[in-house]
Amino acid sequence: DTGVSQDPRHKITKRGQNVTFRCDPISEHNRLYWYRQTLGQGPEFLTYFQNEAQLEKSRLLSDRFSAERPKGSFSTLEIQRTEQGDSAMYLCASSRAQGFGETQYFGPGTRLLVL
Amino acid sequence: SQKIEQNSEALNIQEGKTATLTCNYTNYSPAYLQWYRQDPGRGPVFLLLIRENEKEKRKERLKVTFDTTLKQSLFHITASQPADSATYLCALGDNYGQNFVFGPGTRLSVLP
Protein backbone atom coordinates (compact mmCIF):
# COMPACT_ATOMS: atom_id res chain seq x y z
CA ASP A 1 0.00 0.00 0.00
CA THR A 2 1.58 3.25 -1.20
CA GLY A 3 -0.79 5.53 0.68
CA VAL A 4 -2.59 6.67 -2.48
CA SER A 5 -6.18 5.48 -2.63
CA GLN A 6 -8.63 5.41 -5.51
CA ASP A 7 -12.35 4.90 -5.55
CA PRO A 8 -14.06 2.94 -6.94
CA ARG A 9 -11.70 0.10 -7.76
CA HIS A 10 -13.99 -1.18 -10.50
CA LYS A 11 -16.71 0.48 -12.55
CA ILE A 12 -18.97 -0.99 -15.20
CA THR A 13 -21.10 1.44 -17.14
CA LYS A 14 -23.10 1.64 -20.30
CA ARG A 15 -21.97 3.65 -23.27
CA GLY A 16 -23.13 7.24 -23.02
CA GLN A 17 -23.17 7.40 -19.24
CA ASN A 18 -20.99 9.71 -17.17
CA VAL A 19 -18.54 8.36 -14.61
CA THR A 20 -16.44 10.01 -11.92
CA PHE A 21 -13.37 8.63 -10.19
CA ARG A 22 -11.74 9.88 -7.03
CA CYS A 23 -8.10 9.88 -5.97
CA ASP A 24 -6.79 10.64 -2.49
CA PRO A 25 -3.04 11.29 -2.63
CA ILE A 26 -0.48 11.06 0.14
CA SER A 27 -1.35 14.03 2.33
CA GLU A 28 1.88 16.02 2.09
CA HIS A 29 2.22 15.54 -1.68
CA ASN A 30 1.49 18.63 -3.74
CA ARG A 31 1.64 17.00 -7.18
CA LEU A 32 -1.07 14.69 -8.45
CA TYR A 33 -1.11 12.85 -11.79
CA TRP A 34 -3.73 10.93 -13.75
CA TYR A 35 -2.83 8.18 -16.22
CA ARG A 36 -4.72 5.71 -18.37
CA GLN A 37 -3.43 2.21 -18.99
CA THR A 38 -4.71 -0.42 -21.41
CA LEU A 39 -3.75 -4.07 -21.46
CA GLY A 40 -0.15 -4.68 -22.49
CA GLN A 41 0.73 -1.00 -22.55
CA GLY A 42 2.44 1.36 -20.16
CA PRO A 43 0.49 4.13 -18.43
CA GLU A 44 -0.35 7.09 -20.67
CA PHE A 45 -0.14 10.52 -19.10
CA LEU A 46 -3.46 12.40 -18.99
CA THR A 47 -2.98 15.41 -16.74
CA TYR A 48 -1.27 16.71 -13.63
CA PHE A 49 -1.84 19.19 -10.84
CA GLN A 50 0.46 21.13 -8.65
CA ASN A 51 -1.63 21.95 -5.60
CA GLU A 52 -5.01 22.99 -7.09
CA ALA A 53 -3.62 24.21 -10.42
CA GLN A 54 -3.93 21.94 -13.43
CA LEU A 55 -0.61 22.55 -15.16
CA GLU A 56 -0.69 20.19 -18.09
CA LYS A 57 -3.20 18.19 -20.09
CA SER A 58 -2.34 15.59 -22.66
CA ARG A 59 -3.81 16.00 -26.11
CA LEU A 60 -5.18 12.49 -25.49
CA LEU A 61 -7.58 14.09 -23.06
CA SER A 62 -10.65 14.87 -25.14
CA ASP A 63 -13.29 17.39 -24.17
CA ARG A 64 -15.26 14.58 -22.57
CA PHE A 65 -12.62 14.28 -19.85
CA SER A 66 -12.27 16.76 -17.01
CA ALA A 67 -10.23 16.68 -13.84
CA GLU A 68 -10.32 18.82 -10.73
CA ARG A 69 -8.39 19.19 -7.54
CA PRO A 70 -10.41 21.88 -5.81
CA LYS A 71 -8.52 22.27 -2.54
CA GLY A 72 -5.19 20.84 -3.55
CA SER A 73 -5.97 17.58 -1.80
CA PHE A 74 -8.13 14.88 -3.43
CA SER A 75 -8.84 14.91 -7.15
CA THR A 76 -11.68 13.73 -9.36
CA LEU A 77 -11.59 12.60 -12.97
CA GLU A 78 -14.89 12.71 -14.83
CA ILE A 79 -15.61 11.11 -18.18
CA GLN A 80 -18.77 12.29 -19.90
CA ARG A 81 -20.67 10.31 -22.52
CA THR A 82 -18.44 7.28 -22.12
CA GLU A 83 -17.40 5.28 -25.16
CA GLN A 84 -16.21 1.68 -25.38
CA GLY A 85 -12.72 2.96 -26.17
CA ASP A 86 -12.61 4.53 -22.70
CA SER A 87 -12.38 1.06 -21.15
CA ALA A 88 -9.05 0.99 -19.35
CA MET A 89 -7.36 1.20 -15.97
CA TYR A 90 -7.22 4.77 -14.66
CA LEU A 91 -4.27 5.37 -12.39
CA CYS A 92 -3.57 8.22 -10.03
CA ALA A 93 -0.14 9.06 -8.65
CA SER A 94 1.17 11.68 -6.28
CA SER A 95 4.59 13.13 -5.51
CA ARG A 96 6.29 15.79 -3.48
CA ALA A 97 7.67 18.47 -5.76
CA GLN A 98 11.48 18.41 -5.80
CA GLY A 99 12.15 19.73 -9.25
CA PHE A 100 11.34 16.83 -11.52
CA GLY A 101 12.25 13.18 -11.49
CA GLU A 102 10.80 12.76 -8.02
CA THR A 103 9.24 9.43 -7.13
CA GLN A 104 5.61 9.05 -8.09
CA TYR A 105 3.50 6.91 -5.78
CA PHE A 106 0.69 5.18 -7.61
CA GLY A 107 -2.71 4.15 -6.36
CA PRO A 108 -4.25 0.75 -7.15
CA GLY A 109 -6.23 2.14 -10.07
CA THR A 110 -9.86 2.19 -11.13
CA ARG A 111 -10.73 -0.34 -13.80
CA LEU A 112 -13.44 0.97 -16.11
CA LEU A 113 -15.46 -1.22 -18.44
CA VAL A 114 -17.82 0.49 -20.86
CA LEU A 115 -20.43 -1.84 -22.34
CA SER B 1 7.20 11.75 -32.27
CA GLN B 2 8.69 10.27 -29.12
CA LYS B 3 9.00 6.53 -29.02
CA ILE B 4 10.05 4.19 -26.23
CA GLU B 5 10.68 0.51 -26.81
CA GLN B 6 11.36 -2.19 -24.27
CA ASN B 7 13.23 -5.22 -25.52
CA SER B 8 10.43 -7.68 -25.60
CA GLU B 9 6.94 -8.19 -24.33
CA ALA B 10 8.02 -11.13 -22.20
CA LEU B 11 11.26 -12.52 -20.86
CA ASN B 12 11.66 -15.90 -19.16
CA ILE B 13 14.77 -16.71 -17.14
CA GLN B 14 15.86 -19.33 -14.67
CA GLU B 15 16.01 -18.56 -10.97
CA GLY B 16 19.45 -17.39 -9.89
CA LYS B 17 20.36 -15.92 -13.27
CA THR B 18 20.68 -12.23 -14.09
CA ALA B 19 17.75 -10.68 -15.90
CA THR B 20 18.57 -7.84 -18.30
CA LEU B 21 15.81 -5.60 -19.58
CA THR B 22 16.32 -2.95 -22.25
CA CYS B 23 14.70 0.43 -22.75
CA ASN B 24 15.41 2.27 -26.00
CA TYR B 25 14.07 5.66 -26.96
CA THR B 26 14.02 7.93 -30.00
CA ASN B 27 13.14 11.56 -30.64
CA TYR B 28 13.66 12.44 -26.99
CA SER B 29 16.38 13.97 -24.83
CA PRO B 30 15.34 12.99 -21.32
CA ALA B 31 16.75 14.59 -18.21
CA TYR B 32 16.13 11.39 -16.25
CA LEU B 33 14.89 7.85 -16.58
CA GLN B 34 12.98 5.80 -14.03
CA TRP B 35 12.22 2.11 -13.69
CA TYR B 36 9.01 0.83 -12.13
CA ARG B 37 7.66 -2.59 -11.25
CA GLN B 38 3.99 -3.42 -11.84
CA ASP B 39 2.18 -6.49 -10.59
CA PRO B 40 -1.11 -7.61 -12.19
CA GLY B 41 -4.06 -5.44 -11.19
CA ARG B 42 -1.91 -2.98 -9.26
CA GLY B 43 -0.29 0.39 -9.87
CA PRO B 44 3.40 0.72 -10.74
CA VAL B 45 5.93 0.89 -7.91
CA PHE B 46 9.04 3.06 -8.26
CA LEU B 47 12.36 1.24 -8.21
CA LEU B 48 15.22 3.45 -9.43
CA LEU B 49 15.93 6.86 -10.92
CA ILE B 50 18.96 7.70 -13.02
CA ARG B 51 19.73 11.17 -14.34
CA GLU B 52 21.25 12.07 -17.70
CA ASN B 53 24.66 12.84 -16.20
CA GLU B 54 24.84 9.47 -14.40
CA LYS B 55 26.10 6.28 -16.02
CA GLU B 56 25.04 3.70 -13.45
CA LYS B 57 22.93 3.31 -10.32
CA ARG B 58 22.64 0.36 -7.97
CA LYS B 59 20.17 -0.65 -5.30
CA GLU B 60 20.53 -4.04 -3.67
CA ARG B 61 20.18 -6.61 -6.50
CA LEU B 62 19.18 -3.96 -9.04
CA LYS B 63 21.46 -2.08 -11.41
CA VAL B 64 20.53 0.51 -14.01
CA THR B 65 22.73 1.99 -16.71
CA PHE B 66 21.95 5.00 -18.87
CA ASP B 67 23.70 5.70 -22.17
CA THR B 68 22.46 8.94 -23.70
CA THR B 69 24.58 8.39 -26.80
CA LEU B 70 22.97 5.04 -27.55
CA LYS B 71 19.66 6.34 -26.21
CA GLN B 72 19.35 3.24 -24.09
CA SER B 73 18.96 2.11 -20.50
CA LEU B 74 19.67 -1.38 -19.23
CA PHE B 75 18.02 -2.73 -16.08
CA HIS B 76 19.61 -5.73 -14.40
CA ILE B 77 18.27 -7.96 -11.64
CA THR B 78 20.98 -10.23 -10.28
CA ALA B 79 20.33 -13.52 -8.50
CA SER B 80 16.76 -13.39 -9.76
CA GLN B 81 13.97 -14.99 -7.73
CA PRO B 82 10.45 -16.08 -8.65
CA ALA B 83 9.20 -13.12 -6.56
CA ASP B 84 10.84 -10.82 -9.11
CA SER B 85 8.27 -11.94 -11.70
CA ALA B 86 6.34 -8.84 -12.75
CA THR B 87 6.11 -6.28 -15.52
CA TYR B 88 8.92 -3.73 -15.53
CA LEU B 89 8.32 -0.29 -17.01
CA CYS B 90 10.81 2.39 -17.94
CA ALA B 91 9.73 6.02 -17.94
CA LEU B 92 11.45 9.14 -19.26
CA GLY B 93 11.04 12.73 -18.19
CA ASP B 94 12.42 16.19 -18.76
CA ASN B 95 13.13 19.02 -16.36
CA TYR B 96 9.99 20.95 -17.16
CA GLY B 97 7.40 18.52 -15.81
CA GLN B 98 6.23 17.73 -19.29
CA ASN B 99 6.68 14.82 -21.61
CA PHE B 100 6.75 12.17 -18.88
CA VAL B 101 6.37 9.00 -20.92
CA PHE B 102 6.22 5.31 -20.00
CA GLY B 103 7.41 2.47 -22.18
CA PRO B 104 5.13 -0.51 -22.90
CA GLY B 105 6.81 -2.71 -20.29
CA THR B 106 8.50 -6.09 -20.28
CA ARG B 107 6.84 -9.00 -18.48
CA LEU B 108 9.52 -10.93 -16.63
CA SER B 109 8.96 -14.50 -15.47
CA VAL B 110 11.57 -16.08 -13.21
CA LEU B 111 11.20 -19.84 -13.32
CA PRO B 112 12.08 -21.95 -10.27
Side-chain angles (χ1 to χ4, degrees):
Chain A
D1 183 2
T2 62
V4 179
S5 61
Q6 293 188 244
D7 185 69
R9 293 292 308 276
H10 304 273
K11 180 71 177 178
I12 301 175
T13 192
K14 292 183 179 178
R15 190 175 52 190
Q17 298 294 305
N18 298 344
V19 294
T20 299
F21 309 141
R22 177 180 170 122
C23 171
D24 286 89
I26 295 170
S27 58
E28 62 266 27
H29 285 184
N30 56 352
R31 285 194 183 140
L32 187 148
Y33 302 79
W34 284 100
Y35 296 87
R36 177 173 65 189
Q37 186 175 26
T38 53
L39 203 60
Q41 298 298 315
E44 290 179 292
F45 170 80
L46 294 178
T47 189
Y48 98 94
F49 293 83
Q50 180 143 326
N51 301 312
E52 65 274 10
Q54 187 172 18
L55 295 188
E56 189 184 351
K57 287 175 63 171
S58 165
R59 57 182 178 272
L60 296 173
L61 214 63
S62 77
D63 291 345
R64 297 184 297 105
F65 287 72
S66 62
E68 293 183 343
R69 193 182 184 199
K71 297 182 180 178
S73 56
F74 73 92
S75 175
T76 58
L77 178 69
E78 181 183 17
I79 309 175
Q80 296 183 328
R81 305 181 303 282
T82 52
E83 302 172 356
Q84 288 182 325
D86 297 331
S87 296
M89 173 80 90
Y90 290 83
L91 293 162
C92 170
S94 70
S95 69
R96 181 164 34 201
Q98 294 172 344
F100 291 97
E102 73 275 9
T103 301
Q104 294 188 30
Y105 294 83
F106 282 81
T110 295
R111 186 170 294 283
L112 172 67
L113 178 60
V114 182
L115 301 176
Chain B
S1 62
Q2 301 157 359
K3 188 173 181 181
I4 304 175
E5 293 179 331
Q6 294 192 237
N7 51 328
S8 57
E9 275 192 27
L11 180 66
N12 296 328
I13 63 164
Q14 211 65 37
E15 183 176 6
K17 301 292 186 184
T18 296
T20 298
L21 284 63
T22 304
C23 176
N24 294 295
Y25 58 93
T26 55
N27 297 324
Y28 203 138
S29 294
Y32 62 89
L33 186 148
Q34 296 179 334
W35 284 88
Y36 287 79
R37 169 185 173 138
Q38 187 172 26
D39 291 287
R42 307 192 71 162
V45 175
F46 172 81
L47 296 174
L48 280 168
L49 161 75
I50 188 164
R51 297 195 183 275
E52 60 179 333
N53 60 348
E54 298 174 316
K55 296 292 186 187
E56 182 179 299
K57 272 278 186 72
R58 292 175 184 261
K59 179 182 175 183
E60 298 172 351
R61 294 185 296 113
L62 309 180
K63 185 177 87 170
V64 173
T65 63
F66 193 11
D67 189 326
T68 55
T69 301
L70 292 179
K71 295 185 182 293
Q72 181 181 79
S73 174
L74 299 179
F75 177 77
H76 306 274
I77 306 175
T78 57
S80 59
Q81 304 165 2
D84 296 326
S85 299
T87 295
Y88 291 86
L89 300 157
C90 67
L92 310 179
D94 62 25
N95 278 329
Y96 304 99
Q98 301 172 7
N99 297 322
F100 188 71
V101 184
F102 277 90
T106 295
R107 189 173 65 251
L108 174 68
S109 296
V110 180
L111 309 173

